[in-house]
Amino acid sequence: MERTVICPGSFDPVTYGHIDIITRASKLFDKVIVGVFINVDKKPVFSFEERVSFLERTVGDLPNVTIVGFDGLLAECAKKYGASAAVRGLRAVSDFEYEFQMALTNKKLNEELDTVFLASDARYTYLSSSIVKNVATLGGDISNFVPASIHDEIFNRLNKTKKGESVK
Ligand code: PNS
């Protein structure tokens, strides 16, 4: 039986941490749906189109990976694409509480949907999209956080220190 899973997230923007989880999931399962949560309420810094474009340029070449958007419940999106599990990376104990709550909620909403946690690679346990945005906004080096193919677009959009702008 073909195993399809979904890697859901905001990906605002995608980081090496996400790329690592998606790549490992693509080796473990037959098909991986990367579900980009459109989530206008959370006011992402990057538009849905930009977030998808970053993913296309970083994981789009993996043969069994498909990038989709979703705006409702993950439980419904998983059903739509025939995913039997959501794959999430766990960085630290601090991630666990929220992730466990989400996993149990999703199971209640869709009995067929399990959650598989992959231990974050030790190189990326500190990394998050928020850290990338924070550091880039202050003109810091984000080359260890995101691949070269998307680096400049992210950095130039966020860097507020150029042209003598105040970072207050
Ligand atoms: O990258 P993130 O922001 O940690 O991803 C969170 C995400 C998008 C996976 C989560 O917020 C989600 O699944 N949202 C969809 C709405 C939903 O299904 N909510 C109920 C389960 S908590």
Side-chain angles (χ1 to χ4, degrees):
M1 192 182 114
E2 204 176 59
R3 284 267 161 227
T4 301
V5 296
I6 183 160
C7 288
S10 305
F11 304 107
D12 185 38
V14 66
T15 70
Y16 274 127
H18 297 122
I19 294 165
D20 175 58
I21 297 292
I22 295 166
T23 305
R24 284 159 62 201
S26 78
K27 290 176 187 159
L28 287 168
F29 301 101
D30 302 308
K31 265 192 187 169
V32 175
I33 308 291
V34 176
V36 182
F37 190 40
I38 297 166
N39 201 357
V40 277
D41 292 345
K42 215 171 156 184
K43 295 208 167 51
V45 167
F46 294 99
S47 69
F48 171 67
E49 289 74 19
E50 285 173 310
R51 288 179 284 144
V52 167
S53 162
F54 295 150
L55 280 158
E56 272 166 359
R57 282 181 267 161
T58 50
V59 294
D61 282 348
L62 295 169
N64 57 342
V65 168
T66 306
I67 301 156
V68 305
F70 75 106
D71 210 0
L73 289 170
L74 173 60
E76 292 304 320
C77 179
K79 239 182 241 171
K80 179 173 167 188
Y81 292 100
S84 53
V87 175
R88 296 279 290 172
L90 271 188
R91 287 165 299 192
V93 179
S94 52
D95 278 345
F96 183 79
E97 205 169 333
Y98 173 61
E99 293 296 335
F100 198 60
Q101 192 180 21
M102 272 208 305
L104 296 185
T105 306
N106 286 326
K107 185 81 179 160
K108 275 277 177 240
L109 296 171
N110 173 357
E111 184 56 35
E112 304 299 311
L113 184 63
D114 272 301
T115 299
V116 173
F117 294 115
L118 293 185
S120 156
D121 187 291
R123 286 171 299 174
Y124 309 127
T125 48
Y126 67 92
L127 190 51
S128 68
S129 298
S130 306
I131 288 280
V132 172
K133 287 180 277 196
N134 225 306
V135 171
T137 302
L138 298 170
D141 179 9
I142 56 163
S143 57
N144 286 316
F145 308 159
V146 300
S149 58
I150 59 172
H151 173 283
D152 291 357
E153 204 173 318
I154 294 171
F155 187 77
N156 293 334
R157 255 289 293 284
L158 297 174
N159 178 18
K160 294 271 192 315
T161 63
K162 60 193 167 190
K163 297 181 207 134
E165 275 178 49
S166 164
V167 294
K168 264 198 296 202

